[in-house]
Amino acid sequence: MTASIIKLSTTAEDHHIARMAAVALGLTILENAIPSPLPGVKPGLANIVTLIVLARYGWRTAAWVSLLRVVAGSLLFGNFLTPGFFLSLSGAVLSLIVLAFARHLPARWFGPVSHSIYAAFAHITGQMLVVYLWLIPHAGIAYLIPIFATAALVFGAVNGLIAARFMDDKTIYPQITQIHTD
Amino acid sequence: MYGAALQHIKPGDWLTLLLSSLFVVALTLTLWSGDLADKAIIRSGGKIFREVPLSPDQQIEVPGPLGISIISIQQRKARIASDPSPRQYCVRQGWLQQAGEIALCLPNQVSVELAGSKKKYDSLNY
């Protein structure tokens, strides 16, 4: 049997996206260790990475990082193509759609905190849509919406602040640029 | 430290925070305000035995095939205080307060349902 080598030609940008997605994955795994009072109420720490990537490298890169994180994360946790995977996916997709618009808000007035809050609301909207249309088609889930909305507001604001803090930090910024250029 | 965190919030972000908070409060108020009940509909053997308002506190004895179920109404709430049915599910259900709540005693065929100003569906088929 002859050994065959499949060599994909990758660009520096591919490597960069993969690194960022790996950081997001690390945060996802970290987050899974935190116990949650209610399934679905999670801080969404990986979105900090998405926010930073969005601000630095644009929407296309952010979409790659976010979706790679969802798919690779589901493979790691063994829930690829299960309801949990589709919940993550719908949340991520709706967040990205909202971020595509939110990032055009005037930067003088709106920062990562606003982006993060809008994305968090979009995330929970996407998840509730999947839950309602597919998993639990019962109006009773409306009782849970205030809890999820409150969590989205709080965690969205906190994640936005963390992202803004990281982007401001002059000691971290050079490292990010270095990753980008190497 | 808090000052350092606050400097990352731009004026528009404050606006976002304010509007989102209002939105969450409005959502909570609309989704969590159950319709308060006005009256209790008591049924025995499938037929309406009595319809009573929730305002005066009272005890009502309802006869069924097994014996007498006692329904008590107190402070705009209703419950089945005692019932001869073996499993006592309806008694254990406790106080009913919101419109649409039902306690059903089987096999004594006694039920109490709270009704509000508007009738809600309890099941839909399509």
Side-chain angles (χ1 to χ4, degrees):
Chain A
M1 194 178 145
T2 51
S4 65
I5 298 166
I6 299 170
K7 175 97 174 138
L8 294 173
S9 59
T10 51
T11 64
E13 197 202 358
D14 294 337
H15 295 180
H16 174 236
I17 288 173
R19 279 199 193 91
M20 286 302 184
V23 174
L25 260 178
L27 287 173
T28 308
I29 292 168
L30 186 80
E31 179 175 282
N32 264 265
I34 305 171
S36 163
L38 188 73
V41 175
K42 288 194 286 185
L45 294 175
N47 298 319
I48 297 168
V49 178
T50 311
L51 285 168
I52 295 175
V53 171
L54 178 79
R56 291 243 179 285
Y57 312 110
W59 185 83
R60 209 182 79 89
T61 314
W64 267 113
V65 169
S66 176
L67 296 177
L68 269 178
R69 193 259 305 164
V70 169
V71 174
S74 74
L75 291 175
L76 270 180
F77 290 112
N79 61 0
F80 183 55
L81 298 184
T82 63
F85 166 75
F86 286 105
L87 286 176
S88 299
L89 186 65
S90 65
V93 167
L94 228 69
S95 292
L96 286 170
I97 292 172
V98 165
L99 281 175
F101 293 100
R103 66 189 291 257
H104 292 300
L105 287 167
R108 209 171 112 77
W109 301 102
F110 296 93
V113 178
S114 288
H115 299 165
S116 181
I117 292 173
Y118 293 133
F121 277 122
H123 196 272
I124 204 60
T125 308
Q127 296 197 318
M128 289 311 275
L129 280 177
V130 167
V131 169
Y132 183 69
L133 296 177
W134 180 33
L135 301 172
I136 312 170
H138 187 275
I141 60 164
Y143 283 101
L144 293 175
I145 290 177
I147 299 171
F148 288 135
T150 310
L153 176 58
V154 173
F155 291 134
V158 170
N159 287 348
L161 275 174
I162 295 174
R165 167 88 176 73
F166 268 100
M167 279 186 269
D168 244 34
D169 200 325
K170 296 293 178 289
T171 58
I172 292 164
Y173 180 68
Q175 290 172 13
I176 293 175
T177 22
Q178 190 228 320
I179 287 168
H180 183 48
T181 48
D182 71 358
Chain B
M1 196 230 147
Y2 290 112
L6 287 183
Q7 77 183 18
H8 295 301
I9 306 181
K10 297 177 181 176
D13 295 335
W14 284 115
L15 186 72
T16 303
L17 275 169
L18 179 74
L19 291 180
S20 314
S21 308
L22 288 176
F23 175 63
V24 169
V25 169
L27 258 183
T28 311
L29 289 180
T30 36
L31 292 176
W32 278 3
S33 67
D35 203 14
L36 279 179
D38 294 328
K39 61 179 179 180
I41 302 167
I42 299 162
R43 289 188 179 85
S44 176
K47 294 188 185 68
I48 291 180
F49 175 75
R50 268 176 76 185
E51 283 188 23
V52 288
L54 292 175
S55 45
D57 293 355
Q58 57 178 318
Q59 299 253 347
I60 300 159
E61 297 190 351
V62 188
L66 289 190
I68 286 174
S69 302
I70 298 172
I71 290 161
S72 79
I73 289 171
Q74 253 177 50
Q75 295 169 350
R76 303 200 66 78
K77 292 183 287 186
R79 69 164 177 163
I80 307 226
S82 86
D83 179 72
S85 304
R87 290 184 227 287
Q88 301 285 306
Y89 288 136
C90 57
V91 180
R92 282 161 161 193
Q93 203 170 336
W95 291 104
L96 310 179
Q97 193 167 18
Q98 293 192 338
E101 285 187 294
I102 300 180
L104 172 67
C105 296
L106 289 173
N108 205 29
Q109 300 180 16
V110 170
S111 75
V112 55
E113 175 186 1
L114 296 196
S117 42
K118 53 179 187 282
K119 172 79 182 161
K120 279 192 195 161
Y121 299 105
D122 55 16
S123 85
L124 285 173
N125 279 301
Y126 50 89

